[in-house]
Amino acid sequence: MTTQADGLMPISWFWNERFWLPHNVTWADLADPAPGVEYPKAGHLLAALPLAVGIFAVRILFERFIASACARRLHIQAGVGRRAQPNAVLEKVFTSITTNPDTRHLDGLSKQLDWDVRKVQRWFRHRRNQDKPGTHTKFCESMWRFTFYLGIFIYGLQFLWQSPWLWDTRHCWYGYPYQVMTSGLYHYYVIELAFYWSLMFSQFIDIKRKDFLVMFIHHLATVGLVSFSYANNMARVGSLVLCVHDTSDFLLEAAKMANYAKYQRLCDFLFIVFSVVFFITRLVIYPLWVLNSTMFESWAIVGPFPSWWLFNILLLVLQVLHIFWSYLIFRIALKALLRGKVRPIYLSNHNRILVFCFGVLGVSGTTQMHFCQVVFVSLNYSMN
């Protein structure tokens, strides 16, 4: 008989039943369901790999032929900014020492090249801007994300509308972990997983951003979290968290597209709508609907077990993130009212380090923590 531990990994201790499953339940119990009944197995998620390649290919075609055409219609040209003139000395300093030299370096380079200090500063500024994605590129990327996020949100809402656990969250725990994996729920998970695999692929061909490592770790953690939660059959409550967080994702991308196209009033309106939806879903629906189910309803129906404690701790950490980001969004909205327009969100190194730490904390969680995606996407790409 093949168990999760035997079939998936040679490191059987990782899939220790005493940690992952409720008391008196083993992987063998889930390995051979009744005829016509299918329980989740982590091996099912291998289908996400070829699908990720397909999504990646679709993205390239979409951005090149559809999003690019839309950008041109909106007069967002794929222009190339001023490039730094070739200089071997400065290029070596830029690539191996610093991209933003201090006064000491500037004085030394000025003397070495017999250039004015301001000319050296200008070279480094042009060289830094050379690696930044242009408005056209960012618009195409946001349009692709908007299209996917809106599509997956509509699919998820349509699927959940027919699911009993949308209307009564106790159905997330009745009979757990002996819950049948339906085709709709499977497709929801696999598509989301494939999308994040495709984001990992695309990072290596996209123009590299400063947050490359943070986002790569986030995508890697997301893939792991979705996979673990699927194998652990917490997909029902996971689908609820997916839907709650996907609700505002496409709104942010729409606001970013309006910003790139210089439709400021539309950008302001969409950002306000995004903010309201973000506050409602993160500060009201998530704690009163999701956390109530995972912490109290599951306790009453299933009872706690080791991974249950970890999952709920991570869910609470996620709620702390919600509060933190709601505060930042409120500050941005307030500045928008005072200045008359939405300004881009610029992140300090401290904010990036904070989110990086939260991302690492989420690595060993379940599907619910997968949905940090919206927080991280908002964090690293907001209005850039």
Side-chain angles (χ1 to χ4, degrees):
M1 181 178 296
T2 302
T3 66
Q4 289 277 42
D6 296 331
L8 291 174
M9 297 180 62
I11 309 176
S12 58
W13 59 263
F14 181 83
W15 294 103
N16 191 312
E17 297 160 344
R18 295 182 180 180
F19 176 80
W20 289 105
L21 298 176
H23 302 299
N24 300 321
V25 179
T26 67
W27 293 119
D29 296 332
L30 301 173
D32 295 314
V37 174
E38 189 68 53
Y39 295 141
K41 295 182 178 65
H44 295 167
L45 296 178
L46 293 175
L49 293 175
L51 182 58
V53 176
I55 290 177
F56 182 55
V58 170
R59 175 202 164 175
I60 293 175
L61 295 174
F62 180 91
E63 291 186 1
R64 181 171 299 178
F65 296 106
I66 299 177
S68 184
C70 292
R72 288 193 297 269
R73 291 293 294 270
L74 293 170
H75 307 292
I76 304 174
Q77 299 299 326
V80 179
R82 181 178 295 181
R83 302 181 69 85
Q85 67 184 81
N87 187 291
V89 174
L90 296 181
E91 185 67 27
K92 184 176 181 180
V93 173
F94 184 89
T95 55
S96 60
I97 300 177
T98 178
T99 61
N100 193 12
D102 56 20
T103 304
R104 182 175 60 85
H105 280 105
L106 288 173
D107 290 339
L109 291 169
S110 175
K111 294 176 181 178
Q112 182 179 353
L113 298 172
D114 195 22
W115 282 13
D116 183 76
V117 171
R118 295 186 63 181
K119 185 177 180 180
V120 178
Q121 288 178 318
R122 189 162 52 249
W123 188 94
F124 276 93
R125 184 173 64 254
H126 291 163
R127 184 62 182 84
R128 288 193 299 270
N129 292 336
Q130 200 173 293
D131 290 340
K132 293 180 179 178
T135 302
H136 184 278
T137 300
K138 292 188 288 187
F139 178 88
C140 293
E141 180 182 291
S142 285
M143 188 171 179
W144 161 248
R145 290 174 182 268
F146 168 80
T147 303
F148 177 84
Y149 291 145
L150 179 60
I152 197 64
F153 170 70
I154 293 174
Y155 174 84
L157 187 62
Q158 181 183 27
F159 162 72
L160 287 172
W161 201 264
Q162 306 170 40
S163 303
W165 58 90
L166 177 68
W167 311 106
D168 183 355
T169 52
R170 290 174 296 182
H171 283 277
C172 291
W173 310 107
Y174 289 152
Y176 178 82
Y178 303 103
Q179 295 174 339
V180 177
M181 174 57 62
T182 65
S183 60
L185 186 55
Y186 170 76
H187 292 146
Y188 197 15
Y189 256 66
V190 169
I191 292 172
E192 289 275 8
L193 181 60
F195 178 70
Y196 280 90
W197 272 117
S198 73
L199 289 183
M200 290 181 64
F201 300 155
S202 65
Q203 274 199 292
F204 292 95
I205 67 166
D206 289 341
I207 297 175
K208 288 190 177 181
R209 292 179 168 87
K210 292 180 180 179
D211 56 5
F212 175 87
L213 181 60
V214 173
M215 291 306 298
F216 181 79
I217 293 175
H218 162 248
H219 298 330
L220 188 63
T222 299
V223 168
L225 294 168
V226 177
S227 303
F228 297 157
S229 65
Y230 182 90
N232 206 29
N233 205 4
M234 285 192 174
R236 289 186 179 184
V237 72
S239 65
L240 297 181
V241 186
L242 260 176
C243 188
V244 166
H245 287 74
D246 284 347
T247 303
S248 61
D249 219 0
F250 67 92
L251 294 171
L252 178 63
E253 298 300 329
K256 288 161 62 177
M257 287 192 295
N259 183 54
Y260 300 145
K262 301 189 185 304
Y263 288 105
Q264 194 58 51
R265 289 186 178 180
L266 178 59
C267 175
D268 294 346
F269 171 75
L270 289 171
F271 185 80
I272 291 171
V273 174
F274 161 76
S275 301
V276 171
V277 173
F278 189 94
F279 294 150
I280 292 175
T281 55
R282 302 310 201 282
L283 302 183
V284 179
I285 295 177
Y286 178 79
L288 298 182
W289 193 43
V290 175
L291 288 181
N292 176 67
S293 180
T294 61
M295 296 181 68
F296 302 109
E297 292 178 349
S298 65
W299 181 291
I301 297 172
V302 179
F305 49 99
S307 63
W308 180 95
W309 290 99
L310 176 61
F311 298 158
N312 278 286
I313 289 172
L314 294 173
L315 285 173
L316 291 172
V317 170
L318 179 55
Q319 182 59 26
V320 172
L321 268 179
H322 291 164
I323 296 171
F324 174 73
W325 275 102
S326 296
Y327 165 71
L328 293 185
I329 291 173
F330 175 77
R331 285 181 55 189
I332 294 164
L334 183 61
K335 288 182 180 179
L337 292 175
L338 296 177
R339 296 179 178 179
K341 63 184 291 188
V342 173
R343 298 287 183 177
I345 301 173
Y346 296 103
L347 296 172
S348 68
N349 289 333
H350 296 88
N351 288 340
R352 291 183 183 277
I353 292 171
L354 173 63
V355 173
F356 174 81
C357 293
F358 275 121
V360 172
L361 283 174
V363 169
S364 52
T366 184
T367 302
Q368 298 110 344
M369 283 302 294
H370 151 60
F371 314 109
C372 277
Q373 61 186 22
V374 175
V375 178
F376 277 87
V377 170
S378 302
L379 168 70
N380 290 288
Y381 293 105
S382 292
M383 307 300 291
N384 279 337

